[in-house]
Amino acid sequence: MNTLEGIRPKIKALEAMPTVPAIVMPLTAMLQLPPEQVKMEKVVELASYDSTIAAQCLRMANSPLFGRRNTETVRSAIMALGLKRIQAILLGCCLNNIVPPDKWAMDAVTFWRHSMGCALVCSKMAKMIGYPDPEKAYLAGLLHDLGILVNTLTCTEDFRKCIQQASEEHIALHRVEAGHLGFTHSQSGKILAEQWRFSPEVIEVIEFHHEDGVPPDKQPLVSLVHLGDLLCRLRDLGYGYYEAMGVDLAGDAAWATLVEHYPTLAQMDLARFTMDIDAVMDEIVATVDAVFKPRPAAAAR
Amino acid sequence: MTAVGTGTEKATSPTAGDVKDPAYLKIRDLIYQTSGIYQSEEKLYLLASRCARRISALKLRTPAEYLQYLTSRRDDELRLLLNEITIGETYMFRSPAQLEALRNVILPQLITAKSALGFKRLRVWSAGCSTGEEPYTLAMFLLEESEKRLAGWTFDITATDLNDNSLATAKAGIYGEYALRSTSVLLREKYFKVHDENRLQVTDQLKSLIRFDRVNLNDDSKMLFLKGMDLIFCCNVLIYFDLASKRKVTQHFHSNLLPGGYLFLGHAESLYQVDDKLHLIHFPGTIGYWKPPIGHTDKGKP
């Protein structure tokens, strides 16, 4: 039987896993620096450290989702997409490489469609409501389900059973986790996020994004990701199965919290926003497939 | 400005070039006054092509002539024109996400709520049922569910439309491959009989669940009679209405619905800035509008 305390040492041991790219820690540290302190050279250096990751990062930067450019170097990708976005992309690629291909409990493509979908929805919504840092919203959306990777690595078989049960019963994954594992991916993700010294805001997002009625003392970012996550799961960018839910998003406590901070949200045409998500869905799918679909032979440059 | 219909030129059926004819604006306004169906400027080409059919059927020549005809024989011709305007192509099981939401989310809610009151009956309204594909789909869906969790329940489906031709087609219940393209073999065998080489006809059992009626959604007196609905489907109907009519019709829908009932629109429609009494509810792959029960306080959860 797994418990949160029981898997703590396993999470601690993750650091020593050979699949954890050496650049994870320096990258997360860098992500917390104010933009003016981040040197382009340093990002280029980190990105070039591992050729597989560098290749994935370039594939992502060149994907239809980000404008189908034809950047051939990390440097030009940074010029095209900005330092912050490239760092987030890099971190995503690192996380993907942590999980050995045969160990995925939820398949990698599903996981990344959801994570990238959420990242995009969060940054889009951030821009729409005037949230000051859309790139932070992107990063938080991308990382909110870190715990799914943790559960995959620390209790693979039990976690597989959770996903199976959730998909058979059409219910939310975290509810099955709570019953079956005794903890949720929000809790396990928080432990790794702290260990890797993610920013306090991102840690808070990871811990509270599933909370019904996000506690009002949490930052607006938590509410933003809570809603972004729900929207993705409602528009075929979820965990790969049908979740039987009818959600009154505008009646959600997270919505109320966000409206308090960003009153323009109250005017948002939510139905239209939802339809807009569908419009970028094909691009998300194409991007994730291009980068994270297991390939017979990864062509690293 | 190009002169239209000088009387010397050969009459041609109106094309996109005629859309700017001011007569269309007057026809548009006339339709709006009487039926509440409003075609915005960018939709005028649709109106023009619909009028074209009537103009040619009547052997008239110009939109202006048609306007005159329309004004003098208002009721009859207006109905014929509305028939042209509201023609909509549709097929059965066109919105699987809506049916999944019904099956997985809404029916369990309604069953719980209504069973508690000892009331095992569902009322469903297909408002703007066109040629009947939607109400028959709902009838098949409910019959299938009545073999499972709706065992022992009764339901009646009201299907209304403004268009007489559509209603006649709907009542006949004869469909070709286009309408049936998403209908499984199993359901075809169960709910249809062979009509001719190319078409199937719905069984009497299916028909008996549906009451067809001609209703103009702008007709307040008729709308007031359609009470006690658990579910209303109104797909691609309000899109033709202007804001004031949309508001009025959704007001009616709100009072036609029982507390806890749902309204579904076409997949690209929304009630943004039209209605704020119904709650926008997201289901996987679709949205619907919900009338909360009296005293509803549990935010976020229908």
Side-chain angles (χ1 to χ4, degrees), chain A residues 213-229:
Chain A
V214 171
D217 60 321
K218 304 299 168 210
Q219 301 168 64
L221 190 61
V222 178
S223 296
L224 184 69
V225 177
H226 173 86
L227 295 170
D229 171 64

Side-chain angles (χ1 to χ4, degrees), chain B residues 277-290:
Chain B
K277 279 203 278 186
L278 293 165
H279 291 218
L280 173 67
I281 304 296
H282 280 72
F283 303 97
T286 192
I287 57 172
Y289 292 87
W290 181 56

Side-chain angles (χ1 to χ4, degrees), chain A residues 234-235 243 246-248 251 267 274, chain B residues 272 279 282 284-286 299-300 302:
Chain A
L234 287 158
R235 295 319 275 195
E243 277 190 70
V247 187
D248 184 354
Q267 304 307 315
T274 306
Chain B
Y272 180 65
H279 291 218
H282 280 72
T286 192
K299 287 234 153 211

Side-chain angles (χ1 to χ4, degrees), chain B residues 230-276:
Chain B
D230 295 292
L231 299 166
I232 300 175
F233 291 80
C234 185
C235 298
N236 300 331
V237 178
L238 295 179
I239 46 174
Y240 296 106
F241 292 14
D242 83 313
L243 190 59
S245 305
K246 280 179 180 155
R247 285 197 173 135
K248 197 173 76 165
V249 173
T250 49
Q251 285 277 347
H252 277 302
F253 284 161
H254 185 271
S255 51
N256 297 132
L257 278 173
L258 288 171
Y262 286 89
L263 164 69
F264 279 98
L265 305 175
H267 77 282
E269 296 181 69
S270 98
L271 292 182
Y272 180 65
Q273 289 183 340
V274 172
D275 173 278
D276 53 10

Side-chain angles (χ1 to χ4, degrees), chain A residues 111-127:
Chain A
F111 176 78
W112 288 112
R113 280 181 188 173
H114 175 64
S115 297
M116 287 204 57
C118 189
L120 273 162
V121 167
C122 289
S123 69
K124 219 168 137 71
M125 206 154 150
K127 282 178 202 152

Side-chain angles (χ1 to χ4, degrees), chain B residues 10-34:
Chain B
K10 191 172 178 280
T12 53
S13 62
T15 56
D18 290 313
V19 169
K20 295 230 187 308
D21 192 311
Y24 284 126
L25 285 174
K26 289 192 178 140
I27 294 171
R28 189 265 310 264
D29 291 344
L30 183 64
I31 293 169
Y32 174 54
Q33 280 162 19
T34 21

